[in-house]
Amino acid sequence: QQQVKQSPQSLIVQKGGISIINCAYENTAFDYFPWYQQFPGKGPALLIAIRPDVSEKKEGRFTISFNKSAKQFSLHIMDSQPGDSATYFCAASGRTGYSTLTFGKGTMLLVSP
Amino acid sequence: DARVTQTPRHKVTEMGQEVTMRCQPILGHNTVFWYRQTMMQGLELLAYFRNRAPLDDSGMPKDRFSAEMPDATLATLKIQPSEPRDSAVYFCASGLGSAGNTIYFGEGSWLTVV
């Protein structure tokens, strides 16, 4: 059973537009929600992360919005650039020290020039 | 520049052969993960270690896969015998043990079994 559902699978956005990727989770024990960015031929790298005590976190052009009651969180990329073209993974992990990250299946983002 | 180092970066092998992938975690990190990435399944956790002890390998096919940490600077993932369905990118990642801490991925070992 997939514990983190991510959508869309792929996304094309024009340069300067807003990219939005959504994730939903089922396990209420999750309390750490990172987003990873992966470029072709590279490993995933942490982009931004949030804990459920806040509803939003912003770092530069990247914002996570978190809705605890709906068990959903999303990544917004403002003023999307061609260099943002990559695969984005949402993930979640629980409270215990031995909890591991569960990843969504990824979204391939293409920002057209 | 601390990073997770994986070898080999690319491997093409024939079905039935043994494949060993190696990982050097970031110095000081006490938790090491092995993930497999495919188009169909995304990132799947195969196994992970804390302070060199295996904590969970439930994601790994036990009959052909094995993971070990001979020492704190080396983790290995072995497939014997390899099958075409094992073709994937295998990532090693390391981190500091507490939940909610960032994990850092290597660049992956791209395996093709023909």
Side-chain angles (χ1 to χ4, degrees):
Chain A
Q1 183 183 13
Q2 185 184 0
Q3 295 192 49
V4 180
K5 293 183 179 180
Q6 183 172 347
S7 63
Q9 276 190 308
S10 61
L11 182 62
I12 300 175
V13 173
Q14 286 200 330
K15 179 181 175 182
I18 302 173
S19 304
I20 302 174
I21 305 170
N22 300 299
C23 283
Y25 63 98
E26 298 163 2
N27 189 343
T28 55
F30 287 153
D31 80 337
Y32 172 65
F33 303 90
W35 285 88
Y36 279 77
Q37 179 188 55
Q38 184 181 26
F39 293 107
K42 302 294 185 181
L46 178 68
L47 182 64
I48 185 172
I50 197 169
R51 294 194 182 272
D53 52 344
V54 295
S55 61
E56 186 175 282
K57 182 173 182 180
K58 184 176 181 179
E59 291 183 1
R61 297 183 294 108
F62 300 90
T63 300
I64 300 178
S65 296
F66 185 82
N67 185 331
K68 188 174 181 178
S69 61
K71 293 188 286 185
Q72 295 175 346
F73 58 111
S74 60
L75 176 69
H76 296 234
I77 307 174
M78 311 299 288
D79 187 26
S80 299
Q81 299 296 312
D84 298 329
S85 298
T87 299
Y88 293 81
F89 294 92
C90 63
S93 72
R95 298 186 183 96
T96 68
Y98 293 105
S99 181
T100 59
L101 283 172
T102 299
F103 284 88
K105 290 204 170 183
T107 297
M108 292 181 62
L109 171 66
L110 177 64
V111 181
S112 59
Chain B
D1 182 25
R3 58 177 179 162
V4 176
T5 303
Q6 290 186 246
T7 57
R9 286 298 318 279
H10 298 89
K11 176 77 174 179
V12 179
T13 192
E14 291 186 344
M15 182 173 61
Q17 295 298 305
E18 178 179 298
V19 175
T20 299
M21 289 168 274
R22 293 176 174 82
C23 168
Q24 182 176 8
I26 293 173
L27 187 65
H29 283 185
N30 65 345
T31 308
V32 175
F33 306 83
W34 283 105
Y35 283 89
R36 176 171 62 186
Q37 185 176 32
T38 61
M39 288 296 293
M40 291 298 294
Q41 299 299 326
L43 280 163
E44 301 174 278
L45 178 65
L46 296 176
Y48 80 104
F49 297 78
R50 176 79 46 83
N51 298 321
R52 295 179 54 203
L55 287 189
D56 186 0
D57 62 0
S58 59
M60 206 163 62
K62 301 291 192 306
D63 56 338
R64 299 183 300 107
F65 284 60
S66 61
E68 295 179 345
M69 271 201 82
D71 61 60
T73 64
L74 177 64
T76 63
L77 179 66
K78 186 177 295 185
I79 308 173
Q80 168 62 25
S82 57
E83 297 180 2
R85 60 180 167 152
D86 301 328
S87 298
V89 185
Y90 291 82
F91 286 104
C92 176
S94 72
L96 293 170
S98 301
N101 281 338
T102 303
I103 65 171
Y104 298 84
F105 284 81
E107 295 203 324
S109 291
W110 295 64
L111 175 65
T112 302
V113 183
V114 298

